[in-house]
Amino acid sequence: MKRVILIHFDEEAKNYQAFSNIKKVALTGNLKGEQMAVLSHIDSEENPFVIEDFIDFTGQNKSAKGSMIGLLIGVLGGLPGMLLGWLTGSIIGSVQDVKEVTNAKTIFDHLNDQIPKGQTGLVLIAEEEDNRILNELVIQNLSGQITRLSYDEVEAELKKAQKKQEKE
């Protein structure tokens, strides 16, 4: 299943270590990654998340701006203040620390919760046949947290946000 996967560590250096380790695993074919970015959550209403590093595993040479992750960051930048108040989204099934949870959080809420202001995290778009590979790498080896979201749900949420942005 194709997912948008949010990864966070308490120590900033572990985000970059995980970025490097996940790149290696994806290049071996054990994880079908599409795109991955290191994001910093800064104290800015205009653009609260900044892409620090980015890779497109598909070989299409997309820049971060032309990617799904770039679209997400672009929508966030166009919706100042909505990170804290966005509660209108569809129900997204998520898995956090490998426990099934269902709640009415949008991708914006998850990003804000998972990567607090002043901290860094990862966004990975990938197809996972076996989530144990990423769980071992992130949770067991580096003591990180994972939130998995349905790609289709996130894509629908972004389209809804873009339409709302165009109306304003």
Side-chain angles (χ1 to χ4, degrees):
M1 175 180 224
K2 191 171 180 180
R3 297 187 183 276
V4 175
I5 303 167
L6 307 177
I7 301 169
H8 177 258
F9 301 91
D10 291 333
E11 298 173 40
E12 185 172 348
K14 286 186 178 182
N15 290 290
Y16 291 96
Q17 182 179 355
F19 184 81
S20 178
N21 292 348
I22 292 168
K23 276 196 310 189
K24 290 175 188 171
V25 170
L27 293 173
T28 66
N30 290 326
L31 176 71
K32 295 177 184 171
E34 266 190 35
Q35 301 164 0
M36 182 172 55
V38 177
L39 302 179
S40 289
H41 190 168
I42 61 173
D43 193 10
S44 168
E45 286 186 20
E46 187 175 310
N47 195 359
F49 288 92
V50 175
I51 297 173
E52 301 290 344
D53 204 348
F54 176 82
I55 185 169
D56 185 337
F57 295 106
T58 65
Q60 296 178 11
N61 293 325
K62 289 183 185 175
S63 69
K65 289 184 178 184
S67 70
M68 171 72 150
I69 293 170
L71 174 64
L72 172 62
I73 301 306
V75 168
L76 288 173
L79 298 171
M82 291 194 79
L83 275 173
L84 298 176
W86 189 294
L87 296 174
T88 61
S90 62
I91 294 176
I92 296 176
S94 67
V95 179
Q96 185 166 2
D97 292 333
V98 199
K99 294 179 186 173
E100 285 287 336
V101 184
T102 303
N103 41 30
K105 286 187 170 185
T106 67
I107 180 65
F108 311 110
D109 296 319
H110 281 291
L111 263 176
N112 197 45
D113 291 346
Q114 193 76 6
I115 307 171
K117 280 186 182 176
Q119 294 193 19
T120 304
L122 299 173
V123 176
L124 169 66
I125 298 173
E127 287 190 35
E128 285 186 295
E129 291 180 19
D130 184 354
N131 66 8
R132 291 178 294 181
I133 295 167
L134 202 54
N135 289 346
E136 182 178 331
L137 188 118
V138 172
I139 297 170
Q140 294 171 4
N141 295 348
L142 297 173
S143 302
Q145 299 173 3
I146 298 175
T147 301
R148 289 177 170 90
L149 307 169
S150 161
Y151 180 89
D152 294 335
E153 294 286 341
V154 169
E155 187 175 47
E157 197 64 44
L158 287 175
K159 287 179 183 176
K160 191 188 305 184
Q162 277 185 307
K163 286 179 184 176
K164 183 175 179 117
Q165 194 175 27
E166 289 169 5
K167 288 180 183 178
E168 292 178 358

